[in-house]
């Protein structure tokens, strides 16, 4: 309190990430390697109980076919479930099950406001905010007020744009990145040179945001698509703390 | 008096018999030979039973004194059907051709390079992450010491950190997985 007031205004911004739901597709080397590993494992393995049973039953069938005169009386009474039958049954059951598609409708329509897009990548929230006299796409931010920590500023930013019922895990008390800019000369004064935006990271826990979205323009974009919306300097700083 | 003689004869475990004698004073002589025989049997029986009980107790004590038997860990004992003489190797596969071995070696080398590049990229990304955070904290310190101290405090609620792993396909809405039956056949050993 005794220090001279700094000329920078402080903002807290929240980078809300929706974590990937499905695995990323394998590269060619990875696929080949996986196939090789499977083959080596097969070569080095022993027969399993199921396989031994199958082999024995095949032997029996073959022998029965050869000596069909002797065994006819005994065989007829038995209804033995063969291993091959079991395998066929399991195969049938598998074919009946239909999994959800990896490429969703939102992917096909390129609906950037939906959370169901790009299920194998991180998605982050961008909102359109008015700064000065410009409307910009930014990570949600609000100004810091004395008496709260920067982390609570970021939480407030998230709550302002998405409502109170967001379940997000904020990763720690410390900021992840900073973007410093000076105001244009027109509004720059001695006490008000510019602003510092501190970024915080959070993981979205709940997947259902139906009742949460309030304000107007929001987007969920991946790291590559950030370039379409953010300004270059801002983008550079944001890219530093985003892993892909 | 002969009463007390007989009553002291009897073992202490059957005191009611002593009072039984004293009631029939007149019939004493007559009942004596009748009572003697069964009395002997009972005494011998009782003595024999006592001896048996003692023997059992000694055996129990001996067992207890011996070290408690170890509970076998079933994971460490290989069942006999997997031991060496019972092995049935998948020998029906043909031996590998020269091209195949070459292909495998080259693939392994490619994989090695791929993984090395991946690892380096990860390390670099983590490095940039840490640097960005340090820069942010430095700027914050310039701003206000109090906010800086609040920022470098440990976040207690962060760990244990849980998250659902990514699967191959997204969850199917409204899917009811079929119930399976689970029969537990683990052997329970008591010491």
């Amino acid at each position: 309190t005794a220090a001279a007031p700094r000329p920078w205004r402080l903002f807290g911004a929240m980078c809300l990430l929706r974590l990937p739901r499905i695995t990323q597709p394998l590269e060619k080397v990875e696929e080949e390697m996986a196939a090789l590993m499977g083959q080596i494992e097969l070569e080095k393995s022993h027969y399993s109980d199921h396989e031994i049973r199958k082999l024995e039953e095949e032997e029996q069938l073959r022998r029965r076919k050869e000596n069909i005169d002797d065994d006819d009386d005994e065989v007829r009474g038995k209804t033995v479930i063969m291993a091959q039958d079991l395998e066929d049954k399991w195969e049938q059951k598998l074919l009946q099950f239909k999994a959800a598609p990896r490429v969703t409708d939102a992917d096909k329509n390129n609906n950037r406001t939906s959370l169901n897009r790009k299920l194998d990548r991180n998605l982050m929230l961008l909102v359109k905010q008015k700064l000065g006299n410009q409307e910009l796409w930014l990570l949600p931010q609000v100004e810091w007020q004395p008496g709260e920590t920067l982390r609570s500023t970021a939480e407030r930013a998230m709550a302002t744009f998405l409502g109170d019922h967001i379940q997000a895990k904020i990763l720690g008390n410390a900021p992840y990145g900073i973007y410093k800019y000076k105001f244009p000369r027109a509004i720059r004064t001695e006490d008000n040179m510019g602003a510092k935006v501190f970024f915080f990271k959070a993981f979205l826990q709940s997947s259902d945001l139906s009742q949460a979205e309030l304000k107007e323009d929001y987007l969920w974009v991946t790291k590559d698509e950030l370039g379409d919306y953010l300004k270059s300097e801002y983008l550079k700083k944001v890219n530093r703390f985003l892993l892909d | 008096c002969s009463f007390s003689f007989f009553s002291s004869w009897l073992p202490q475990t059957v005191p009611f018999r002593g009072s039984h004698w004293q009631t029939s004073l007149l019939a004493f002589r007559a009942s004596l030979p009748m009572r003697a025989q069964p009395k002997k049997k009972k005494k011998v029986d009782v003595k024999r039973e006592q001896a048996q009980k003692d023997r059992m107790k000694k055996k129990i004590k001996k067992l207890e004194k011996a070290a408690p038997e170890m509970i076998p860990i079933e994971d460490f004992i290989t069942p006999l059907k997997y031991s060496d003489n019972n092995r049935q190797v998948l020998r029906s596969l043909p031996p590998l051709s020269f091209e195949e071995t070459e292909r495998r070696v080259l693939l392994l080398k490619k994989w090695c390079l791929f993984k090395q590049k991946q690892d380096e990229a990860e390390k670099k990304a983590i490095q940039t992450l840490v640097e960005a955070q340090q820069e942010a904290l430095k700027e914050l310190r310039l701003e206000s010491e109090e906010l800086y101290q609040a920022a470098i405090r440990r976040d207690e609620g962060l760990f244990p950190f849980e998250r659902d792993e990514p699967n191959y396909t997204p969850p199917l809405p409204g899917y009811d997985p079929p119930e399976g039956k689970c029969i537990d056949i683990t052997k329970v050993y008591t010491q």
Side-chain angles (χ1 to χ4, degrees):
Chain A
T1 51
R6 306 272 310 177
W8 300 94
R9 286 169 63 187
L10 299 180
F11 287 83
M14 179 62 85
C15 176
L16 191 59
L17 290 169
R18 185 222 69 183
L19 294 168
R21 293 270 167 67
I22 58 179
T23 49
Q24 291 185 342
L26 296 174
E27 312 226 347
K28 194 157 157 298
V29 189
E30 288 179 318
E31 278 189 26
E32 286 176 15
M33 196 62 188
L36 178 63
M37 286 288 121
Q39 214 174 342
I40 292 179
E41 201 181 303
L42 192 69
E43 285 163 15
K44 288 193 178 167
S45 66
H46 300 176
Y47 283 123
S48 70
D49 289 343
H50 180 84
E51 286 192 321
I52 290 178
R53 177 179 164 180
K54 212 167 107 168
L55 286 173
E56 282 175 2
E57 282 169 8
E58 278 175 16
E59 268 292 311
Q60 273 180 14
L61 257 185
R62 242 182 349 97
R63 266 188 276 124
R64 220 180 282 158
K65 280 201 184 117
E66 287 166 11
N67 337 341
I68 213 159
D69 314 314
D70 306 339
D71 295 333
D72 230 352
D73 305 318
E74 304 168 27
V75 167
R76 222 163 279 150
K78 286 195 274 183
T79 45
V80 174
I81 301 181
M82 308 259 291
Q84 190 62 44
D85 300 336
L86 278 176
E87 277 193 18
D88 293 333
K89 206 165 69 162
W90 297 333
E91 190 72 37
Q92 286 294 316
K93 232 179 172 183
L94 181 64
L95 290 172
Q96 277 173 6
F97 172 75
K98 207 168 156 317
R102 282 166 63 101
V103 177
T104 59
D105 297 331
D107 268 327
K108 294 183 197 145
N109 303 338
N110 202 10
N111 176 14
R112 293 196 171 180
T113 55
S114 129
L115 264 183
N116 273 336
R117 197 172 70 96
K118 298 264 181 187
L119 290 172
D120 58 347
R121 313 282 301 281
N122 286 336
L123 285 184
M124 52 210 103
L125 181 66
L126 282 185
V127 284
K128 204 158 197 179
Q129 284 183 288
K130 202 162 149 83
L131 280 191
N133 48 4
Q134 281 180 317
E135 287 243 341
L136 297 170
W137 282 108
L138 298 172
L139 298 177
Q141 69 185 46
V142 289
E143 184 152 4
W144 172 75
Q145 272 151 20
E148 62 177 3
T149 60
L150 274 175
R151 177 183 162 149
S152 15
T153 320
E155 284 171 1
R156 197 157 54 88
M158 204 165 58
T160 330
F161 289 99
L162 291 178
D164 284 330
H165 302 290
I166 288 294
Q167 291 166 21
K169 186 115 191 186
I170 305 187
L171 304 175
N173 288 325
Y176 273 74
I178 177 169
Y179 175 59
K180 216 160 63 165
Y181 65 97
K182 294 199 175 146
F183 292 138
R185 281 185 193 273
I187 49 172
R188 209 188 295 181
T189 62
E190 270 301 314
D191 306 328
N192 212 355
M193 274 177 52
K196 287 187 182 178
V197 186
F198 290 94
F199 299 104
F200 287 79
K201 241 191 191 178
F203 289 153
L204 190 66
Q205 305 279 75
S206 65
S207 51
D208 176 32
L209 288 182
S210 43
Q211 72 267 48
E213 301 290 353
L214 315 170
K215 307 279 181 93
E216 332 75 31
D217 298 345
Y218 63 93
L219 285 182
W220 292 95
V221 288
T222 61
K223 189 174 173 194
D224 310 326
E225 294 162 3
L226 279 180
D228 302 337
Y229 300 96
L230 299 180
K231 299 218 156 155
S232 61
E233 280 297 319
Y234 191 79
L235 178 66
K236 258 203 303 199
K237 294 290 180 160
V238 167
N239 267 339
R240 287 184 76 197
F241 66 83
L242 289 179
L243 296 173
D244 205 12
Chain B
C1 174
S2 43
F3 281 93
S4 50
F5 171 68
F6 275 113
S7 54
S8 61
W9 228 32
L10 295 165
Q12 291 305 112
T13 49
V14 282
F16 64 91
R17 295 238 178 87
S19 55
H20 194 57
W21 294 117
Q22 289 158 19
T23 48
S24 57
L25 179 66
L26 295 168
F28 186 61
R29 293 271 167 195
S31 54
L32 179 57
M34 268 176 40
R35 307 283 177 122
Q37 290 297 12
K39 209 163 82 165
K40 266 194 205 144
K41 274 189 199 152
K42 279 173 196 149
K43 211 169 67 164
V44 166
D45 271 345
V46 163
K47 260 201 182 161
R48 216 184 280 169
E49 276 174 33
Q50 274 265 295
Q52 264 178 350
K53 274 188 208 163
D54 288 332
R55 267 181 265 145
M56 292 297 284
K57 278 187 193 157
K58 273 193 191 158
K59 276 188 198 162
I60 290 171
K61 270 190 202 162
K62 232 195 261 180
L63 282 176
E64 273 176 4
K65 272 192 201 156
E69 195 183 277
M70 298 279 139
I71 300 176
I73 303 176
E74 301 222 345
D75 291 336
F76 291 170
I77 308 169
T78 14
L80 285 172
K81 65 174 174 168
Y82 301 127
S83 63
D84 285 334
N85 43 10
N86 277 348
R87 219 179 344 170
Q88 296 166 27
V89 185
L90 267 171
R91 258 183 250 119
S92 53
L93 301 174
L96 296 176
S97 62
F98 174 69
E99 287 92 16
E100 182 62 23
T101 39
E102 281 293 303
R103 180 192 79 102
R104 285 188 183 185
V105 167
L106 288 171
L107 180 59
L108 285 169
K109 292 195 176 181
K110 260 200 292 188
W111 175 251
C112 191
L113 198 67
F114 171 76
K115 268 297 180 187
Q116 186 191 35
K117 294 228 165 68
Q118 201 184 52
D119 192 44
E120 272 176 28
E122 267 180 28
K123 290 201 168 107
K124 215 167 106 177
I126 294 177
Q127 187 73 14
T128 10
L129 210 72
V130 167
E131 276 170 13
Q133 190 167 53
Q134 294 295 358
E135 194 190 311
L137 284 173
K138 211 167 59 163
E139 294 282 337
L140 184 57
R141 193 160 209 185
L142 289 177
E143 277 305 304
S144 98
E145 190 62 31
E146 170 193 318
L147 283 179
Y148 176 75
Q149 291 300 329
I152 60 175
R153 226 178 291 148
R154 198 184 282 193
D155 185 11
E156 301 296 334
L158 187 58
F159 295 112
F161 177 73
E162 282 176 10
R163 82 162 256 219
D164 291 330
E165 38 129 45
N167 301 310
Y168 186 66
T169 50
L172 203 57
Y175 177 66
D176 187 25
E179 296 264 327
K181 231 183 352 173
C182 179
I183 310 165
D184 201 3
I185 52 169
T186 46
K187 293 192 193 149
V188 175
Y189 293 94
T190 46
Q191 259 187 340

